[in-house]
């Protein structure tokens, strides 16, 4: 995904893959054997002298930490029994069927090619440390039972749990971690290549210890590395890793792939020998014996399948369906439970994403003008039963939002080198998305929009807006569902009186993502989900470097030194106050670029489930976690 204008990272040598015969002949070591090997490894390194990898001992005085956090200290104490949103007494057994829109053609979720099947990343593979869904950004021991890092976060050392095993029984070692890092950095998904490019050096200290030395400036990098999936070096051929495959993946996670119907369904079976089943971070999780994901081509077919009882849990995203669609017998007789669950993280930004790489959307005045033609009160009342709130920030509904809050001294200092990068009303927290009167024909809003378009060089000629070159102002809105199509058609009709020609094209999931990742679109409907601790993912979404990388998620083509500076400050923040300043600064810089016509968000998560599917009473900060649910016997 690295473009020609971005230098490639130097390639690291890959651990050679043994022949199949050799790999098959390797004995499956027990815990005692692994510890013995660790001791022999240390003796060999000691004999090798001060030039050996373990010669640097600056990490040894540092405390072993079974948990780490981005800012401050993790909430749970050492020796905690279970995550607060898990039920350690939940019964095991039964099957959970879920549904996905689209298709898949790959069982390797770690590479850019193809569309990966749902569930493999979290059910088959495991990261070094597990993230709590009830804290902004805290990680607890999993494959790595402990970590060490200095205050400046210039390196991190992971100590692996000697019990860790892949599902084929093969021990998981530091060589697997190093192999995974090198392979993902060179051939993995683009976010792996970007994030792992922050590593200056990686080395195995002993079979259960691995160290990463880090470039300065990004204090999130140690936590990003702690979330790295560990791949089996004894089974993966680096030469074919990038290809799509239906070969059964092998990981260290709680499930194994049991059955695959290509493009239609994938079934996972709980591994009875899962090595980490009694760890605090997994206790009460992964309770179903079998999990299946069924694929549907469109959302209407998917919903009818739920009504017919073909799958168990539904996350509802349509206000209309939530308002009037759940009157079928299973809801009425209590066989299906319908509930709105709380979500404590910032609300996702959902809106019309404008591709600023393309004319005339490259002009910020044109992008801002389009927002004046959207009548949100009319849309909310007539299409969505007044169930939505207007989104006014990329971090709406949280303390990270800049809405209604004047910029702090820290924010103003960050923007000082970039005069004019942030509009005055946005800097003062006074900006709001244009608010029409709900009539569907607010003439005042239309006049303001036309005024901006005239400033950009457009004029009405026989009912058509044309630029100075005579070209009509026209673009295509690409959508991927009927719900999106209805919203886009409404927006297109609202643009007609202004002389703007917007066509709407409905495509399938595969074509949508292919065109999106190639930046081959004018306008799309897109959702930017946000965690409670925004971090390095913002580089791939909004940085100038990502705008030039094919396949990046900077889909709008945003390029701004002020945005880049805000992201740098965000990932380098040492205090919670500095972090909040940086995120709000990023919010203001993005709003000033008008890369999105913001739409709306729901206050909570709408969900429906079969009555036999139970969940813990506590819903964590991130919202519902289905991994903690179970089937009542």
């Amino acid at each position: 995904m690295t473009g020609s204008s971005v230098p490639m990272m130097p390639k690291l040598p890959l651990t050679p893959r043994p022949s199949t015969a050799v790999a098959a002949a390797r004995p499956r070591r027990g815990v005692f054997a692994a510890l013995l090997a660790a001791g022999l490894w240390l003796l060999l390194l000691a004999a090798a002298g001060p030039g050996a990898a373990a010669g640097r001992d600056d990490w040894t005085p540092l405390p072993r930490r079974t948990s780490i956090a981005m800012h401050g200290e993790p909430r749970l104490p050492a020796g905690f029994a279970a995550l607060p949103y898990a039920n350690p007494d939940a019964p095991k057994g039964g099957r959970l069927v879920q549904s996905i829109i689209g298709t898949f053609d790959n069982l390797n979720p770690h590479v850019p090619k193809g569309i990966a099947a749902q569930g493999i990343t979290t059910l088959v593979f495991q990261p070094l440390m597990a993230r709590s869904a009830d804290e902004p950004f805290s990680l607890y021991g999993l494959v790595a039972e402990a970590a060490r890092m200095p205050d400046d976060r210039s390196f991190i050392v992971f100590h692996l749990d000697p019990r860790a095993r892949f599902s084929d029984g093969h021990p998981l070692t530091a060589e697997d971690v190093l192999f995974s890092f090198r392979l993902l950095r060179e051939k993995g998904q683009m976010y792996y290549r970007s994030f792992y490019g922050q590593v200056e050096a990686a080395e195995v200290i002993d079979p259960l210890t691995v160290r990463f030395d880090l470039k300065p400036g990004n204090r999130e990098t140690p936590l990003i590395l702690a979330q790295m999936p560990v791949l089996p070096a004894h089974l993966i051929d680096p030469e074919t890793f990038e290809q799509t495959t239906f070969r059964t993946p092998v990981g260290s996670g709680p499930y194994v792939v049991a059955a695959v119907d290509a493009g239609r369904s994938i079934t996972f079976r709980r591994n009875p020998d899962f090595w980490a089943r009694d760890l605090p971070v997994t206790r009460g999780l992964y309770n179903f014996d079998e999990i299946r994901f069924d694929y549907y081509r469109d959302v209407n077919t998917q919903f009818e399948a739920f009504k017919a009882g073909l799958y168990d849990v539904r996350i509802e995203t349509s206000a209309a369906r939530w308002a009037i669609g759940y009157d079928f017998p299973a809801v009425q007789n209590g066989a299906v439970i319908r509930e709105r669950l709380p979500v404590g993280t910032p609300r996702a930004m959902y809106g019309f994403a404008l591709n600023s790489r393309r004319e005339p959307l490259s002009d910020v005045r044109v992008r801002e003008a389009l927002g004046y033609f959207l009548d949100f009160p009319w849309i909310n009342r007539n299409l969505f039963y007044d169930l939505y709130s207007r989104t006014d920030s990329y971090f709406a509904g949280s303390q990270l939002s800049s809405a209604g809050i004047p910029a702090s001294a820290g924010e103003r200092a960050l923007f000082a080198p970039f005069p004019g990068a942030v509009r005055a009303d946005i800097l003062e927290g006074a900006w709001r998305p244009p608010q029409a009167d709900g009539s569907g024909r607010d003439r005042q809003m239309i006049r303001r929009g036309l005024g901006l378009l005239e400033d950009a060089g457009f004029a009405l000629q026989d009912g058509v807006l044309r630029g100075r070159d005579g070209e009509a102002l026209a673009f295509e809105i690409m959508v991927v569902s009927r719900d999106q199509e209805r919203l886009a058609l409404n927006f297109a009709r609202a643009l007609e009186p202004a002389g703007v020609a917007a066509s709407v094209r409905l495509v399938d999931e595969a074509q949508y993502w292919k065109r999106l990742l190639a930046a081959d679109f004018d306008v799309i409907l897109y959702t930017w989900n946000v965690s409670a601790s925004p971090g390095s993912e913002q580089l791939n979404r909004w940085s100038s470097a990502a705008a030039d990388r094919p396949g990046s998620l900077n889909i709008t083509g945003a390029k701004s030194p002020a945005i880049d500076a805000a992201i740098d400050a965000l990932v380098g923040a040492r205090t919670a106050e500095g972090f909040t300043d940086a995120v709000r600064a990023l919010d203001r810089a993005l709003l000033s670029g008008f890369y999105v016509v913001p739409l709306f968000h729901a206050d909570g998560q709408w969900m429906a489930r079969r009555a036999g599917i139970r969940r813990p009473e506590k819903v964590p900060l991130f919202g519902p976690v289905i991994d903690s649910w179970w089937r009542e016997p």
Side-chain angles (χ1 to χ4, degrees):
M1 194 168 76
T2 306
S4 57
S5 61
V6 180
M8 291 289 289
M9 296 294 179
K11 293 184 178 181
L12 297 173
L14 293 170
T15 303
R17 177 180 182 267
S19 68
T20 304
V22 171
R26 282 181 174 175
R28 297 182 177 180
R29 295 174 292 168
V31 173
F32 175 77
L35 291 173
L36 179 61
L40 292 174
W41 182 275
L42 289 172
L43 288 173
L44 288 171
L45 285 174
R56 289 184 298 161
D57 58 0
D58 52 345
W59 57 273
T60 55
L62 299 173
R64 286 172 60 106
R65 299 177 59 91
T66 57
S67 60
I68 56 178
M70 183 65 194
H71 299 107
E73 293 295 323
R75 185 177 303 161
L76 300 179
F80 68 94
L83 294 168
Y85 51 89
N87 174 11
D89 298 320
K92 305 288 187 182
R95 181 177 66 183
L96 176 71
V97 182
Q98 300 183 73
S99 69
I100 301 292
I101 294 292
T103 187
F104 66 92
D105 60 6
N106 195 2
L107 298 189
N108 182 358
H110 306 299
V111 296
K113 288 184 180 179
I115 302 172
Q118 187 76 12
I120 294 175
T121 302
T122 56
L123 298 178
V124 173
F125 293 97
Q126 287 184 301
L128 288 164
M129 303 184 79
R131 186 170 184 175
S132 169
D134 203 38
E135 302 172 55
F137 199 175
S138 294
L139 302 173
Y140 294 86
L142 185 58
V143 170
E145 61 182 4
R148 306 186 201 221
M149 64 179 176
D151 289 340
D152 64 3
R153 300 192 178 182
S154 57
F155 66 85
I156 186 166
V157 173
F158 294 107
H159 298 282
L160 306 187
D161 192 319
R163 298 167 292 181
R165 294 286 184 277
F166 293 105
S167 60
D168 64 356
H170 198 282
L172 191 157
T173 71
E175 288 291 349
D176 293 299
V177 176
L178 187 60
F179 172 84
S180 302
F181 162 73
R182 290 172 170 172
L183 188 61
L184 293 172
R185 174 169 158 165
E186 184 172 294
K187 298 186 176 184
Q189 294 279 9
M190 300 308 163
Y191 48 82
Y192 289 136
R193 303 184 198 194
S194 174
F195 294 156
Y196 299 168
Q198 298 298 312
V199 176
E200 286 189 331
E203 59 185 349
V204 169
I205 295 175
D206 64 50
L208 296 177
T209 310
V210 62
R211 170 177 174 146
F212 295 92
D213 289 276
L214 312 174
K215 295 178 181 178
N218 189 339
R219 291 181 59 79
E220 191 183 43
T221 302
L223 283 79
I224 294 295
L225 284 171
Q227 296 177 94
M228 179 174 64
V230 184
L231 313 180
H234 65 289
L235 292 177
I236 293 177
D237 182 354
E239 297 303 317
T240 60
F241 181 69
E242 291 178 283
Q243 300 174 8
T244 59
T245 180
F246 279 102
R247 181 180 178 184
T248 302
V250 173
S252 63
Y255 289 83
V256 296
V257 174
V260 176
D261 184 355
R264 296 180 179 179
S265 74
I266 182 168
T267 302
F268 301 89
R269 185 181 66 250
R270 190 158 56 88
N271 180 7
D273 299 320
F274 175 44
W275 73 272
R277 61 184 176 273
D278 295 322
L279 293 184
V281 289
T282 63
R283 195 172 292 134
L285 303 182
Y286 313 121
N287 301 310
F288 299 99
D289 283 346
E290 184 176 290
I291 297 176
R292 191 179 79 221
F293 292 93
D294 289 339
Y295 281 74
Y296 295 88
R297 291 293 181 179
D298 63 81
V299 70
N300 292 326
T301 304
Q302 181 193 41
F303 184 55
E304 291 302 317
F306 181 70
K307 291 165 64 176
L310 298 184
Y311 60 95
D312 298 310
V313 176
R314 177 170 177 80
I315 299 174
E316 187 54 74
T317 59
S318 165
R321 274 193 300 275
W322 189 248
I324 62 174
Y326 286 80
D327 59 351
F328 51 93
V331 175
Q332 296 167 354
N333 65 27
V336 166
I337 296 172
R338 179 173 170 266
E339 54 191 347
R340 181 177 68 85
L341 299 176
V343 177
T345 54
R347 307 299 184 262
M349 167 63 82
Y350 175 56
F352 289 99
L354 311 176
N355 189 351
S356 66
R357 302 173 183 86
R358 293 192 169 184
E359 299 292 345
L361 299 174
S362 59
D363 192 318
V364 67
R365 294 167 296 185
V366 174
R367 299 196 300 271
E368 181 183 2
L370 295 180
Y372 281 96
F373 302 104
L374 182 80
D375 191 335
F376 169 71
W378 188 96
I379 290 172
N380 197 29
R381 183 178 67 252
N382 289 279
L383 300 184
F384 302 119
Y385 299 84
D386 280 325
L387 288 175
Y388 287 130
S389 300
R390 188 73 190 272
T391 303
D392 56 6
S393 164
Y394 286 82
F395 308 95
S398 76
Q399 66 171 1
L400 301 177
S401 170
S402 67
I405 302 173
S408 66
E411 291 180 74
R412 294 174 191 273
L414 195 154
F415 287 134
F418 315 106
V422 176
R423 285 215 329 210
D425 56 342
I426 294 175
L427 194 67
E428 296 304 323
W431 179 85
R432 292 292 183 276
Q435 184 78 353
D437 61 10
S439 67
R441 51 183 182 278
D442 189 325
R443 296 184 182 277
Q444 183 180 7
M445 291 294 106
I446 293 174
R447 282 196 296 269
R448 290 183 181 179
L450 283 172
L452 282 168
L453 292 171
E454 289 172 3
D455 291 344
F458 289 89
L460 270 173
Q461 300 176 17
D462 300 323
V464 178
L465 265 181
R466 297 186 183 276
R468 296 187 181 95
D469 58 1
E471 290 291 323
L473 177 51
F475 53 82
E476 178 189 88
I477 305 174
M478 182 175 67
V479 298
V480 74
S481 70
R482 293 295 179 187
D483 287 343
Q484 286 191 359
E485 183 181 43
R486 182 172 61 158
L487 189 57
L489 287 171
N490 179 275
F491 188 35
R493 284 192 293 268
L495 291 165
E496 286 176 0
V500 179
S503 60
V504 178
R505 174 173 294 187
L506 176 65
V507 300
D508 62 26
E509 186 90 3
Q511 186 179 359
Y512 174 86
W513 281 104
K514 181 178 180 181
R515 289 183 59 183
L516 182 151
L517 292 174
D520 180 21
F521 66 91
D522 297 325
V523 179
I524 60 170
L525 277 159
Y526 192 77
T527 301
W528 288 266
N529 290 309
V530 188
S531 81
S533 180
S536 296
E537 77 283 349
Q538 303 300 318
L539 290 163
N540 196 40
R541 293 181 179 186
W542 304 113
S543 71
S544 297
D548 293 326
R549 273 203 311 269
S552 85
L553 289 180
N554 187 345
I555 60 174
T556 66
K559 274 190 172 185
S560 162
I563 291 175
D564 294 338
I567 296 174
D568 288 344
L570 183 157
V571 297
R574 285 179 171 265
T575 65
E577 181 182 4
F579 176 74
T580 300
D581 280 350
V583 178
R584 288 179 180 169
L586 175 61
D587 193 23
R588 297 183 206 275
L590 291 173
L591 292 172
S592 297
F594 294 94
Y595 300 106
V596 179
V597 178
L599 290 172
F600 43 74
H601 60 266
D603 294 317
Q605 178 67 69
W606 302 323
M607 297 197 74
R609 56 186 165 90
R610 305 289 156 194
I613 303 296
R614 303 298 178 89
R615 65 172 181 83
E617 182 177 350
K618 178 177 174 56
V619 178
L621 176 71
F622 290 9
V625 175
I626 296 178
D627 286 343
S628 68
W629 295 13
W630 66 91
R631 182 176 290 279
E632 192 69 19

